[in-house]
mmCIF file of all heavy atoms in Angstrom:
data_model
loop_
_atom_site.group_PDB
_atom_site.id
_atom_site.type_symbol
_atom_site.label_atom_id
_atom_site.label_comp_id
_atom_site.label_asym_id
_atom_site.label_seq_id
_atom_site.Cartn_x
_atom_site.Cartn_y
_atom_site.Cartn_z
ATOM 1 N N ALA A 21 47.211 21.299 -44.060
ATOM 2 C CA ALA A 21 47.227 22.107 -45.264
ATOM 3 C C ALA A 21 46.852 21.323 -46.474
ATOM 4 O O ALA A 21 46.068 21.799 -47.365
ATOM 5 C CB ALA A 21 48.583 22.749 -45.454
ATOM 6 N N VAL A 34 46.547 13.498 -58.071
ATOM 7 C CA VAL A 34 47.591 13.123 -57.162
ATOM 8 C C VAL A 34 48.946 13.837 -57.422
ATOM 9 O O VAL A 34 50.002 13.343 -57.085
ATOM 10 C CB VAL A 34 47.827 11.591 -57.163
ATOM 11 C CG1 VAL A 34 46.552 10.934 -56.602
ATOM 12 C CG2 VAL A 34 48.085 11.093 -58.559
ATOM 13 N N ALA A 131 45.664 43.761 -54.334
ATOM 14 C CA ALA A 131 46.699 44.774 -53.832
ATOM 15 C C ALA A 131 47.624 44.149 -52.746
ATOM 16 O O ALA A 131 48.784 44.553 -52.692
ATOM 17 C CB ALA A 131 45.944 45.939 -53.185
ATOM 18 N N GLU A 151 65.437 22.414 -64.354
ATOM 19 C CA GLU A 151 64.358 23.378 -64.331
ATOM 20 C C GLU A 151 64.037 23.901 -62.904
ATOM 21 O O GLU A 151 63.726 25.024 -62.671
ATOM 22 C CB GLU A 151 63.069 22.721 -64.912
ATOM 23 C CG GLU A 151 61.802 23.598 -64.928
ATOM 24 C CD GLU A 151 61.864 24.661 -66.046
ATOM 25 O OE1 GLU A 151 62.930 24.838 -66.672
ATOM 26 O OE2 GLU A 151 60.840 25.323 -66.209
ATOM 27 N N MET A 167 55.443 32.896 -56.954
ATOM 28 C CA MET A 167 55.906 32.771 -58.335
ATOM 29 C C MET A 167 54.807 32.334 -59.210
ATOM 30 O O MET A 167 54.239 31.260 -58.995
ATOM 31 C CB MET A 167 57.136 31.788 -58.431
ATOM 32 C CG MET A 167 57.633 31.684 -59.867
ATOM 33 S SD MET A 167 59.284 30.901 -60.016
ATOM 34 C CE MET A 167 58.994 29.331 -59.233
ATOM 35 N N ASN A 171 52.610 29.162 -68.033
ATOM 36 C CA ASN A 171 52.211 27.841 -68.634
ATOM 37 C C ASN A 171 52.235 26.669 -67.665
ATOM 38 O O ASN A 171 52.288 25.543 -68.083
ATOM 39 C CB ASN A 171 53.164 27.493 -69.820
ATOM 40 C CG ASN A 171 53.292 28.622 -70.799
ATOM 41 O OD1 ASN A 171 54.345 29.244 -70.896
ATOM 42 N ND2 ASN A 171 52.203 28.886 -71.540
ATOM 43 N N LEU A 175 53.423 28.957 -57.364
ATOM 44 C CA LEU A 175 54.247 28.481 -56.220
ATOM 45 C C LEU A 175 54.297 29.582 -55.235
ATOM 46 O O LEU A 175 54.567 30.737 -55.553
ATOM 47 C CB LEU A 175 55.604 28.056 -56.707
ATOM 48 C CG LEU A 175 56.500 27.366 -55.665
ATOM 49 C CD1 LEU A 175 57.320 26.248 -56.270
ATOM 50 C CD2 LEU A 175 57.466 28.419 -55.063
ATOM 51 N N PHE A 191 45.963 34.317 -52.703
ATOM 52 C CA PHE A 191 46.360 34.515 -54.116
ATOM 53 C C PHE A 191 45.306 33.906 -55.029
ATOM 54 O O PHE A 191 44.992 34.509 -56.034
ATOM 55 C CB PHE A 191 47.770 33.936 -54.327
ATOM 56 C CG PHE A 191 48.261 34.343 -55.703
ATOM 57 C CD1 PHE A 191 48.907 35.556 -55.894
ATOM 58 C CD2 PHE A 191 48.090 33.527 -56.797
ATOM 59 C CE1 PHE A 191 49.341 35.946 -57.136
ATOM 60 C CE2 PHE A 191 48.512 33.904 -58.063
ATOM 61 C CZ PHE A 191 49.177 35.084 -58.198
ATOM 62 N N ALA A 201 36.801 39.557 -63.338
ATOM 63 C CA ALA A 201 36.651 40.981 -63.825
ATOM 64 C C ALA A 201 36.956 41.130 -65.358
ATOM 65 O O ALA A 201 36.309 41.848 -66.048
ATOM 66 C CB ALA A 201 37.610 41.865 -63.025
#
Side-chain angles (χ1 to χ4, degrees):
V34 293
E151 181 73 354
M167 180 162 60
N171 307 109
L175 185 142
F191 189 84

